[in-house]
Amino acid sequence: MSGERATLALRVVPPAVLGFGRGRRLIERNLLVARRTWWVPLSGIAEPVFYLLSIGIGIGKLVTSIPGPHHSLIPYAPYVAPALLASSAMNGAVYECTFNVYFKLKYAKIYDAVLATPMGAADVARGEVVYAMLRGTAYAAIFVVMMAALGDIRSAWAVFALPAAVMIGLAFSAVGMAATTYMRGWTDFDMVQLALLPMFLFSTTFYPLSTYPRWLQVVVELTPLYHGVSLTRSLTLGYVGVGDVGHAAYLVAMGAVGLAVASRRIRTLLLR
Amino acid sequence: MPGEPLIYGRGLVKQFGTVRAVDSIDFAVERGEAFGFLGPNGAGKSSTMRMIACVSPRTSGDLSVLGLDPDRDGARIRGRIGVVPQEDSLDLELTVRENLYVYGRYFDLPRSELRPRIEQLLRFAQLTERGDDRVEPLSGGMKRRLTIARSLINEPELLLLDEPTTGLDPQARHALWDRLYRLKSQGVTLVLTTHYMDEAEQLCDRLVVMDRGTVAAEGSPQGLIGRYCTREVVELRFGPGESERHADKVADIPERIEVLPDRLLLYTDQGDATVEAVQRRALAPVSVLVRRATLEDVFLRLTGRQLVD
């Protein structure tokens, strides 16, 4: 049966993540589809890898070290790599929860059929958000392997980089899905790019927060990717502190709010 | 409880903003029967079906499906019914077989149970050979049969069909009707909406005619024809615009006469006698046709001839 391989993948994923009822049926469906388009994620993974190779290695030659947490000095590539790890988790989650969800919602009418079964609006939201989170985490996992191969991991704390990627994926997929339910057409997706690109460039990805004037520091500190970058950087560099609990809490709260909004919106749109 | 209807609606209302799509309707569907909602576009048929299918909360009134309240037990009810929506909502990214599989998983059915059932449903839908094909290139009739097969994956007691044969060619319609008869003989309760009168006459034991959100009439197809129409209809066809000046000459013959731009419809219980009487009046119609009255005559009488968009 064609579903078996997809189900096997589900068994490998920690059951704790999937302890959310019928939503996992939608993940099973998405995995069946993804089997046929396995090459699609390649572009998403390639992007941060290219950044790591070009900027990390290129600029790393010019910038020998950068001020890290607790007044330490860190070589450039290991400084940039965790930030790119965080943004790869973000990318994977956002692609899935914006374009793909929009297509299923407005054109393929997948959820209309799903909601005629015992599945409810909350199951749809949870299923899609967790699936997008898994895609983001998969991107991040490949990236972590790259980092290890290039010697950019400098602490055993890095084993928690994947759980951190799960939180980043959750936060962005939940808010991405909530935003997608408000989209009126494909052109609205330009707004997504408009939000993602500056976040990618300014979230202390390439240089520390102290470089900015104070007002810009405050703005950056309010955006989610900054918290994701700070968290992964603490873990792979090994400077874990109390602040990281705050970063994690920010991401989890963002995920919870996004999920609640997404569920409500699916109900309003489809269960009229 | 014996005698309790499978679906029961009383004073059922669905309001969208200022529009009352369903305006306080009463109906009851018994177990094992085929029940129809008949009506023009915008009559409130689909809104009623969506409330029964527990995908649209009612604005007010009572509704019970399988003895349960859709507001409280929506998921449980949906688990026991099958739904064939107006527009096919098949998963175009999956194959025919995968469509059935994934849909069965939405009902939490175990794989071991699904495997034989999928093959059985493919045979039922005459799609066994296309099992591993993508859904996209299938014909309209095949997609419809697959949608019906999919709605049966959970072995429902009640099947809701919203305009099941709209857009199909005659062969495909008859193939589909044949499948629906078989389900009915197996004891599945069918509830369908249609604006095809022949479909309602073929399939429905009982039906309600809906118009502008209300129930205009209720009964069996034959009962409705008996109540709202005569046994036969004589159609006298004239040149365009000419029928009106002939109407007075024959108006006293039938029970009721209807004047259309190119035709006179004479409603009568004795078609042949009416034709003879007309011929004695020395009219020269282009053609004369005696036919059995159909649900369509009832329908047009109840809901009028003006176009609804």
Side-chain angles (χ1 to χ4, degrees), chain A residues 162-217:
Chain A
L162 270 195
V166 167
M167 288 184 230
I168 296 166
L170 175 72
F172 281 97
S173 61
V175 168
M177 177 149 185
T180 297
T181 62
Y182 288 98
M183 303 279 175
R184 294 153 301 176
W186 291 108
T187 44
D188 281 355
F189 284 95
D190 287 350
M191 309 284 266
V192 175
Q193 289 310 313
L194 199 62
L196 292 188
L197 187 64
M199 235 194 306
F200 171 65
L201 293 173
F202 287 95
S203 296
T204 70
T205 314
F206 301 108
Y207 38 81
L209 193 65
S210 55
T211 319
Y212 297 126
R214 184 58 204 152
W215 68 268
L216 190 53
Q217 288 182 8

Side-chain angles (χ1 to χ4, degrees), chain B residues 3 21 27 89 113 122 132 152 175 179 183 220 230 244 282-283:
Chain B
F27 65 94
S89 56
E113 208 173 297
L122 286 175
D132 293 319
L152 298 173
R179 294 294 173 280
L183 290 172
S220 67
T230 53
E244 201 162 348
L283 269 71

Side-chain angles (χ1 to χ4, degrees), chain B residues 109-124:
Chain B
L109 297 173
R111 222 166 311 125
S112 57
E113 208 173 297
L114 276 174
R115 212 169 297 149
R117 200 176 295 170
I118 286 169
E119 296 314 312
Q120 185 194 330
L121 286 171
L122 286 175
R123 278 196 301 278
F124 173 81

Side-chain angles (χ1 to χ4, degrees), chain A residues 127-143:
Chain A
E128 291 294 8
V129 165
V130 171
Y131 181 73
M133 179 202 86
L134 291 176
R135 181 167 165 185
T137 308
Y139 282 24
I142 294 170
F143 200 84

Side-chain angles (χ1 to χ4, degrees), chain B residues 13-40:
Chain B
V13 173
K14 182 72 201 185
Q15 182 127 9
F16 295 105
T18 56
V19 180
R20 267 199 173 200
V22 178
D23 192 1
S24 188
I25 62 168
D26 300 337
F27 65 94
V29 179
E30 304 297 333
R31 188 176 286 276
E33 76 175 335
F35 187 90
F37 287 98
L38 193 63

Side-chain angles (χ1 to χ4, degrees), chain A residues 2-4 7 11 22 25-26 28-29 32-33 35-36 110 113-115 117-119 270-272, chain B residues 14 50 55-57 75 78-79 89 91 93-94 98 101-103 105-108 111 115 134 150:
Chain A
S2 44
E4 266 162 32
T7 323
R11 286 199 195 118
R22 291 199 167 89
R25 302 298 178 209
L26 210 48
E28 199 175 337
R29 181 257 168 213
L32 259 180
V33 175
R35 263 187 327 133
R36 264 195 287 279
I110 299 293
V114 168
L115 292 172
T117 74
M119 306 241 298
L270 299 179
L271 299 176
R272 282 176 300 138
Chain B
K14 182 72 201 185
R50 285 176 54 84
V55 290
S56 169
R78 291 195 302 271
S89 56
D91 200 324
E93 295 181 277
L94 299 173
E98 286 169 347
Y101 173 77
V102 165
Y103 208 71
R105 298 296 280 167
Y106 294 155
F107 285 89
D108 266 337
R111 222 166 311 125
R115 212 169 297 149
R134 294 286 285 269
R150 189 184 67 172

